[in-house]
Amino acid sequence: MRIDVLGVGFDNVTMAEAVERGMSLLRSEGAHYVVTPNPEIVEVCRENEAARAVINGASLVLPDGIGVIKGAAMLGTPLKERTPGIEFAAHIVERMAGEGMSLYLLGAKPGVAEKAAENLKKQHPGLVIAGTHDGYFQEDSPVVEDIRKSGADCVFVCLGAPKQEFWMAKNGSATGAHLLCGLGGSLDVFAGTVERAPKFWCDHGLEWFYRLCKEPKRIGRMMKLPLFLVHVKQEKRKK
Ligand code: UDP
């Protein structure tokens, strides 16, 4: 059963359980996609019914931000823990490397996915990099065809939300991959072009503040966080 936070249903799993679920999807027939919404995306979903449908249509919906955890707790339906997309991705890469599986990296500015691939391969020699492609393309079909030809087991789709979620829902099956993960800016972190907040900030639920200090232009997007909390309070009153 999923836990509803303002219309988005989150899977109530620990990180270890999320990784197990991801690995079992990877081994099962057909294409499955994973999404990792934060409060900003939940706010997008409140206004965009189509985005809400593709996000709720994922096989695994993981709470990326501390705000979602707080929101669920305020609504009286707590989630077990925060499962950031970047950490989920790192665990999946480790497990895939152990089994010699192949990964395709899609998204970010030209050159970033290649650099991320190089770094991941260095850290996990057992990982097979099936291919890479930047996230600034006009037509889906040549990219889908490239992934299909590569025979990738898994694709990290990093086009920003909700673009990546629409992309996975529409093209997932045609890629031939079993698992597609929508991971926002994760390739920039794997490539080392963007630094993730140090552990202290992450452990104290302040990753968002660290990112804001590093990239002040995110302020407009981050204003969605207080709005999210206002909406959670309204929902709580209704309940
Ligand atoms: N991006 C892309 N194609 C686009 C728009 C964005 O590949 O058409 C990439 C962008 O370069 C960045 C990622 O998508 O690497 C989105 O990063 P953001 O920081 O917005 O994601 P978050 O982690 O906050 O969800």
Side-chain angles (χ1 to χ4, degrees), residues 38 107-109 135-136 158-160 163 183-185 188 211 218 221:
N38 56 19
K109 299 208 174 107
Y136 295 85
C158 302
L159 307 173
K163 186 174 180 178
L183 295 166
D188 296 293
R211 285 188 90 176
R218 294 180 83 93
R221 288 174 59 174

Side-chain angles (χ1 to χ4, degrees), residues 132-204:
T132 59
H133 199 291
D134 69 75
Y136 295 85
F137 49 88
Q138 300 305 317
E139 275 179 59
D140 289 350
S141 46
V143 179
V144 170
E145 189 51 20
D146 193 51
I147 300 174
R148 203 188 55 74
K149 275 206 214 124
S150 79
D153 298 302
C154 179
V155 189
F156 286 176
V157 184
C158 302
L159 307 173
K163 186 174 180 178
Q164 63 203 11
E165 284 76 12
F166 283 116
W167 198 92
M168 293 189 293
K170 179 174 168 224
N171 300 301
S173 299
T175 64
H178 294 299
L179 186 69
L180 297 99
C181 307
L183 295 166
S186 297
L187 292 185
D188 296 293
V189 177
F190 287 133
T193 50
V194 169
E195 198 191 325
R196 201 177 170 216
K199 193 171 179 303
F200 173 87
W201 298 72
C202 296
D203 289 352
H204 290 80

Side-chain angles (χ1 to χ4, degrees), residues 33-55:
Y33 63 94
V34 180
V35 297
T36 63
N38 56 19
E40 184 191 338
I41 307 310
V42 174
E43 279 300 308
V44 169
C45 290
R46 285 186 75 249
E47 277 151 29
N48 183 337
E49 207 177 304
R52 188 164 67 235
V54 288
I55 285 179

